[in-house]
Amino acid sequence: MCSSDLVSSAKTLNLLAVAHNYRQQGKKVLLVKPEVDTRFGRDIIKTRAGLELPADCLVPRVGPFTLPDLTGFVCVLVDEAQFLTNHDIDVLHNCVHEAPKIPVICYGLRTDFRRQLFPASQRLLELADSIEEIKTICHFCLRKAVFNLKLLNGRPTLTGPTIELGAEEKYLPVCAGCYSAQHSN
């Protein structure tokens, strides 16, 4: 299991590329996404660039999550893993370490706009066999972005719900210096 980070870092584009590579070789992959992510449709995994594939499995907002029969699948790819629960992460971890031992690759954010770990991301960090960071640059200064800056009416904010769907109109990737500078204005 591995995890990725930061808004606008092409996480979903990477997920779809991995799915494409497996499928080009005639291998079956299971595409999973949380039901709460409805930005592009309930069961669609879509990039901001417009590429999309249907999700094979939706993780419910509430209630137990179970994977379907994985016979014939060689990999599980999970989009927006930060929206899962600790139990959901444990289910995916068991997929990796119990028969038939299928690799799981999770794509998601590490922290919210307040720089706090998402609970599912914390669980991923605790259990992941490896973690690969997908890098992107700061919206303001072009240094490596490490945080997500949330905007409300075009201004940085630390208020509002932790889970609030949006893209560049609501969140910007920023370096630590620019995050602090934007919140001190």
Side-chain angles (χ1 to χ4, degrees):
M1 260 175 32
C2 77
S3 174
S4 303
D5 203 17
L6 285 175
V7 70
S8 300
S9 62
K11 294 178 303 298
T12 302
L13 186 62
N14 277 274
L15 179 147
L16 294 180
V18 169
H20 173 78
N21 289 341
Y22 274 110
R23 289 177 174 173
Q24 281 295 103
Q25 296 177 19
K27 296 177 171 80
K28 284 177 59 178
V29 295
L30 184 75
L31 300 180
V32 177
K33 75 173 263 193
E35 191 176 64
V36 70
D37 181 14
T38 58
R39 288 172 297 169
F40 303 114
R42 184 174 177 265
D43 63 348
I44 299 294
I45 297 174
K46 185 175 179 178
T47 70
R48 290 185 187 93
L51 301 172
E52 66 180 70
L53 286 173
D56 301 309
C57 178
L58 295 176
V59 180
R61 292 177 192 224
V62 294
F65 166 58
T66 55
L67 285 164
D69 178 12
L70 295 173
T71 303
F73 286 94
V74 298
C75 187
V76 175
L77 301 174
V78 182
D79 196 32
E80 302 296 348
Q82 75 274 7
F83 296 145
L84 304 181
T85 66
N86 287 352
H87 169 76
D88 301 335
I89 299 301
D90 289 342
V91 168
L92 293 166
H93 183 260
N94 291 341
C95 178
V96 174
H97 296 285
E98 295 176 1
K101 295 187 178 185
I102 297 174
V104 174
I105 304 172
C106 296
Y107 295 83
L109 302 175
R110 183 181 59 222
T111 60
D112 66 15
F113 64 95
R114 293 180 186 98
R115 301 181 297 183
Q116 301 293 310
L117 284 171
F118 284 98
S121 299
Q122 178 179 339
R123 190 67 179 144
L124 266 172
L125 290 168
E126 293 167 347
L127 298 178
D129 295 330
S130 68
I131 297 172
E132 297 177 24
E133 179 181 45
I134 299 174
K135 294 179 178 77
T136 194
I137 57 171
C138 178
H139 176 80
F140 299 104
C141 73
L142 304 181
R143 282 181 274 188
K144 177 184 166 190
V146 292
F147 299 122
N148 296 304
L149 183 73
K150 182 179 179 182
L151 303 175
L152 179 63
N153 299 320
R155 306 271 311 147
T157 185
L158 292 172
T159 63
T162 299
I163 297 176
E164 189 171 2
L165 301 176
E168 290 86 359
E169 81 288 349
K170 188 170 288 194
Y171 297 99
L172 298 175
V174 295
C175 70
C178 289
Y179 182 93
S180 296
Q182 290 296 312
H183 282 294
S184 66
N185 293 336

